[in-house]
């Protein structure tokens, strides 16, 4: 199992969520974050005062997936998050040691599979 952690633009999220769901990968967590990549802060004037902005809003998309789903999930995110402009984001991939479904106590990859009665 791997965890995909993708920092993406807000504008790209709906298309990414729809595509992943269509691919059978609807399980995810999303948070609003502020971050910076390699660029230094940029300076803009606000009411006559120059302010340097270091952090920009991004979405953090987190997904635990089977090893066999990593490449196609990442390909979908890459295709739909890419504009070619700075700030398109980054994707990090981690190895997951274990996963546990709290309701049943099941462990491992079975926790990621579709199951009867899934509605949320
Ligand atoms: N090394 C990192 N560690 C943690 N979060 C990061 C890292 N790099 C980027 N991020 C997150 O990803 C967001 C987008 O990064 P960004 O796309 O600007 O990366 P970049 O390296 O500057 O590439 P680009 O030149 O395309 O802008 C950041 O705002 C931050 O939330
Ligand atoms: Mg950047």
């Amino acid at each position: 199992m791997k965890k995909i952690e993708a920092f993406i633009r807000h504008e790209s999220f709906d298309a990414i969520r729809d595509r992943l769901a269509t691919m059978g990968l609807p399980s995810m967590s999303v948070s609003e974050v502020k971050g910076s990549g390699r660029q230094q802060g940029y300076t803009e004037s606000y009411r006559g005062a120059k302010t340097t902005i270091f952090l920009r809003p991004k979405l953090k998309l987190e997904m635990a997936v089977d090893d066999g789903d990593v490449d196609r999930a990442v390909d979908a995110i890459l295709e739909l998050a890419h504009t070619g402009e700075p700030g398109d984001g980054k994707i990090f991939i981690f190895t997951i040691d274990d996963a546990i479904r709290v309701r049943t106590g099941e462990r491992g990859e079975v926790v990621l599979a579709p199951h009867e009665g899934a509605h949320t």
Side-chain angles (χ1 to χ4, degrees):
M1 286 176 289
K2 302 282 189 206
K3 178 173 161 187
I4 301 170
E5 182 176 282
F7 294 89
I8 58 173
R9 298 180 194 277
H10 286 66
E11 307 90 273
S12 67
F13 176 70
D14 285 350
I16 290 172
R17 181 197 54 205
D18 290 351
R19 175 76 63 84
L20 291 169
T22 301
M23 293 166 55
L25 298 172
S27 305
M28 62 179 63
S29 295
V30 181
S31 355
E32 307 237 3
V33 298
K34 289 185 176 176
S36 57
R38 295 298 304 178
Q39 280 78 26
Q40 301 300 305
Y42 73 97
T43 302
E44 66 178 34
S45 286
Y46 180 70
R47 294 185 175 169
K50 289 224 186 287
T51 309
T52 301
I53 297 175
F54 291 97
L55 298 173
R56 290 184 183 70
K58 296 285 171 185
L59 287 183
K60 180 170 74 171
L61 169 63
E62 296 173 271
M63 306 175 66
V65 300
D66 287 341
D67 289 359
D69 287 326
V70 173
D71 287 347
R72 62 197 197 98
V74 167
D75 286 350
I77 296 168
L78 276 178
E79 178 194 330
L80 296 166
H82 178 265
T83 70
E85 296 297 317
D88 272 355
K90 282 215 176 99
I91 302 174
F92 299 100
I93 299 171
F94 307 76
T95 298
I96 293 178
D97 291 334
D98 206 353
I100 304 163
R101 176 176 283 120
V102 172
R103 176 172 57 84
T104 58
E106 295 162 287
R107 298 180 87 113
E109 291 198 350
V110 68
V111 165
L112 303 179
H115 63 291
E116 285 300 312
H119 48 76
T120 56

